[in-house]
Amino acid sequence: MRLRNCIGSLLLTLMLCSCNSWLDVDLINQSEESDLFSTERGFSEALAGVYCDIAASNMYGQTLSFGMLDIMSRIYDYSQIPNKMKIFRDYDYENKDMKSYIYLLWSSFYANIAALNNILEWSEKNASVLSDERRNQVRGEVLALRGLLHFDIYRLFATDVKLDPKARVLPYQTKFGVKTPPVYSTMDYLKLVIGDLEDAVKYLENDPIKEVKPYQLGNGDDENKDGADLYVARMNYYATKALLARVYLSMGGDKIKDARRLAEEVIDCGKFALVNYEKSLNTDEANKDLLFSDEHIFSLRGQNVKSDAEGVHKQITGTDGNVQMASGYQSILYLGDLEDYRLNWYKSFYIIKYTSDNSERFFPKMPMIRLSEMYLIAAEGWMEDDPEHAAELLQTLKQARTKSIVNKQTVTEEMILLEMRKEFVGEGQLFYVYKRLNHDIIGNTSEDGVKASNRVFVLPLPEEEIEYGYRN
């Protein structure tokens, strides 16, 4: 009965986040907070509001995925970037339009963090409204989301911790309504991220995802994947561990051991599966799963993901143009392997990963953490201490991407980077990879690469934050 009630609450959150109306209504402003948080539904509404807001186009629905970040990672043809997006291509952080983008991004991060902190505080004030199981679920997801948002603020606005662990840059917001939270060094800031995620894991110990295998749901002829989204379209127990693996990997040093351990825990849990070609890709367009949904550990459902992607990726004759790949780029990137399943993500010069006509079965969404990343983290984590095991992990992933026979190879940083370039198309992760490795950005052609530097990798703090947040 407890599990059924918890699943019912998760379903309510999923339904609220799938409604267009939610994005048009600010419930916390239109209701007295005490009324909103006087029922379990109110907590679900508030949490759904955060999921929907971060899935919007100004955050992960476009800007932090196939929009700004992928343009900055130079996956698109440099010469074909539309005029309005050249500020991203050129890292023109002093441009007034770019400053507006940065301010909006910063404000969106901290507005959602404030909303999460408000939910946390009300879960203490009105503890009796929620069952113990639901309260733990809410607090776990909130803390995991707070860790996620703060971590991506670090990845955008701070010097890499391995280069300057004592750099004092960023505020970490843990209380609702605090106008000027303290600023932390990069190392101390990441310790706070880890603290939130470790606490989240404890609260999510009884997450309903432990009772199911999401990749096995929604596979019938007349079924959609909403049943799986119930568990993975939110920060669940395994997503939190996967994010911890991502954080530890970014810190380097001995933390890589924690990264590979957690990545393999997620791999071995059996809840997610690498894409099955026959089931997911060798089918008609309406059933073709271009997002490799069975691999999703965490994804964000977003009503506008498809239309936003069409505006960026679909060829529209007579417009300012759309981002596209350089001629021959796919062949070079995928080393001429015409059997690579990821080539399904492209049509001619354009990415069709998010624009396929399959939304009746697969609700539009943005992959946030996928199983393939766990294989890459584990392989990178073992490549020096156990090269044979690292080679096996990478071979497993690569074999799941092609009909061609894949042989084991000694894993190197360049090999890991190549697989990440193949894998993270349209997901915004590649910019962070270059920054973490302090690696030159490899262009869509041999002429448009960019030297690694903080001038490129570190976005400036908004002027408003410096002026009113007393940051210097």
Side-chain angles (χ1 to χ4, degrees):
M1 179 64 72
R2 290 179 177 179
L3 178 61
R4 187 186 309 156
N5 290 340
C6 196
I7 291 175
S9 298
L10 298 180
L11 181 60
L12 174 61
T13 303
L14 185 71
M15 291 171 60
L16 288 167
C17 193
S18 301
C19 297
N20 282 322
S21 59
W22 172 261
L23 295 176
D24 301 324
V25 179
D26 186 344
L27 287 173
I28 291 182
N29 286 337
Q30 292 188 4
S31 313
E32 288 294 331
E33 288 187 3
S34 58
D35 290 338
L36 176 64
F37 292 110
S38 65
T39 65
E40 184 174 309
R41 180 187 175 91
F43 281 91
S44 295
E45 289 175 342
L47 186 54
V50 175
Y51 281 117
C52 291
D53 203 51
I54 65 176
S57 60
N58 65 303
M59 292 197 72
Y60 295 102
Q62 178 176 327
T63 298
L64 296 177
S65 52
F66 53 76
M68 181 184 82
L69 280 192
D70 268 5
I71 293 172
M72 289 167 63
S73 63
R74 296 288 176 94
I75 74 164
Y76 304 115
D77 187 342
Y78 179 93
S79 66
Q80 298 297 320
I81 300 297
N83 289 329
K84 64 183 179 180
M85 296 183 177
K86 287 180 179 177
I87 53 175
F88 307 142
R89 180 197 71 179
D90 298 335
Y91 315 102
D92 191 1
Y93 300 143
E94 295 304 313
N95 179 281
K96 64 180 180 64
D97 291 332
M98 186 66 170
K99 287 182 177 181
S100 296
Y101 269 100
I102 291 172
Y103 176 70
L104 177 61
L105 194 55
W106 177 275
S107 300
S108 297
F109 272 121
Y110 280 104
N112 280 287
I113 289 169
L116 292 168
N117 286 333
N118 199 29
I119 296 171
L120 277 178
E121 291 187 13
W122 278 101
S123 72
E124 291 286 354
K125 291 179 186 177
N126 282 6
S128 61
V129 169
L130 302 170
S131 67
D132 289 344
E133 292 80 6
R134 183 56 182 157
R135 181 172 176 271
N136 286 341
Q137 188 71 35
V138 167
R139 291 183 67 83
E141 290 186 41
V142 166
L143 286 167
L145 285 169
R146 190 170 79 180
L148 168 74
L149 297 181
H150 277 111
F151 181 56
D152 282 350
I153 291 170
Y154 155 78
R155 294 203 288 178
L156 290 168
F157 291 97
T159 300
D160 186 274
V161 68
K162 299 184 293 299
L163 299 179
D164 191 352
K166 295 182 179 180
R168 187 172 171 81
V169 180
L170 299 172
Y172 202 99
Q173 189 93 22
T174 60
K175 299 290 183 183
F176 179 71
V178 178
K179 292 184 179 179
T180 54
V183 174
Y184 296 89
S185 70
T186 49
M187 180 59 76
D188 288 341
Y189 184 96
L190 287 178
K191 288 179 180 177
L192 290 170
V193 171
I194 290 169
D196 271 352
L197 296 179
E198 288 180 340
D199 286 345
V201 168
K202 295 174 185 175
Y203 279 116
L204 293 170
E205 187 63 41
N206 294 315
D207 192 327
I209 197 173
K210 289 189 167 186
E211 304 298 323
V212 300
K213 293 184 177 180
Y215 80 91
Q216 294 181 343
L217 302 176
N219 295 324
D221 291 339
D222 298 319
E223 293 182 302
N224 59 38
K225 295 297 283 187
D226 286 354
D229 287 351
L230 180 64
Y231 301 95
V232 302
R234 58 181 182 80
M235 278 301 292
N236 58 70
Y237 176 83
Y238 299 102
T240 307
K241 287 200 166 189
L243 181 56
L244 265 171
R246 185 186 280 178
V247 175
Y248 282 129
L249 184 71
S250 75
M251 298 174 75
D254 286 343
K255 296 298 183 184
I256 289 177
K257 296 177 181 178
D258 293 307
R260 71 194 186 198
R261 171 182 57 79
L262 287 162
E264 289 194 288
E265 280 185 29
V266 176
I267 291 169
D268 294 340
C269 75
K271 305 294 181 180
F272 319 99
L274 293 171
V275 68
N276 180 301
Y277 174 78
E278 292 299 328
K279 183 188 78 169
S280 299
L281 297 171
N282 190 24
T283 184
D284 59 276
E285 185 176 5
N287 291 295
K288 188 173 288 188
D289 183 9
L290 294 183
L291 294 184
F292 297 6
S293 298
D294 290 347
E295 299 186 7
H296 289 197
I297 302 170
F298 172 45
S299 54
L300 286 170
R301 288 164 64 103
Q303 284 279 3
N304 297 323
V305 168
K306 182 179 179 181
S307 59
D308 287 340
E310 287 175 343
V312 171
H313 292 135
K314 260 194 174 180
Q315 184 178 16
I316 303 175
T317 305
T319 69
D320 182 34
N322 298 74
V323 295
Q324 62 187 61
M325 324 312 289
S327 178
Y329 174 73
Q330 294 97 302
S331 178
I332 295 170
L333 179 61
Y334 295 98
L335 306 178
D337 181 7
L338 299 179
E339 301 288 348
D340 195 301
Y341 304 150
R342 292 165 293 197
L343 292 175
N344 284 279
W345 293 342
Y346 307 89
K347 184 177 182 180
S348 184
F349 301 137
Y350 298 94
I351 296 174
I352 60 170
K353 193 173 183 178
Y354 300 103
T355 59
S356 180
D357 188 19
N358 63 357
S359 54
E360 286 194 16
R361 185 169 187 194
F362 304 98
F363 192 93
K365 68 194 71 164
M366 178 57 56
M368 296 290 288
I369 310 175
R370 288 192 291 119
L371 185 61
S372 57
E373 183 181 352
M374 297 300 101
Y375 277 91
L376 290 165
I377 289 175
E380 185 176 347
W382 282 110
M383 70 180 181
E384 292 185 3
D385 291 348
D386 191 340
E388 178 68 18
H389 185 44
E392 291 172 351
L393 286 161
L394 193 58
Q395 181 191 32
T396 298
L397 173 62
K398 292 173 70 174
Q399 190 61 75
R401 292 295 185 257
T402 181
K403 293 179 182 178
S404 304
I405 300 300
V406 176
N407 297 315
K408 278 195 297 186
Q409 295 175 284
T410 301
V411 178
T412 65
E413 182 180 288
E414 290 300 319
M415 190 181 297
I416 291 288
L417 177 59
L418 175 60
E419 289 306 312
M420 289 179 171
R421 291 176 62 211
K422 297 177 184 178
E423 193 67 26
F424 293 148
V425 171
E427 297 180 20
Q429 293 300 318
L430 194 54
F431 180 80
Y432 300 133
V433 173
Y434 285 127
K435 181 175 181 176
R436 175 176 66 82
L437 298 175
N438 197 31
H439 194 288
D440 293 349
I441 294 176
I442 301 170
N444 199 253
T445 67
S446 58
E447 290 81 26
D448 60 7
V450 181
K451 285 288 185 183
S453 74
N454 279 346
R455 186 196 70 79
V456 170
F457 290 141
V458 181
L459 274 63
L461 298 185
E463 293 176 355
E464 294 84 352
E465 169 64 14
I466 295 171
E467 182 175 356
Y468 299 110
Y470 309 102
R471 315 291 175 212
N472 51 48

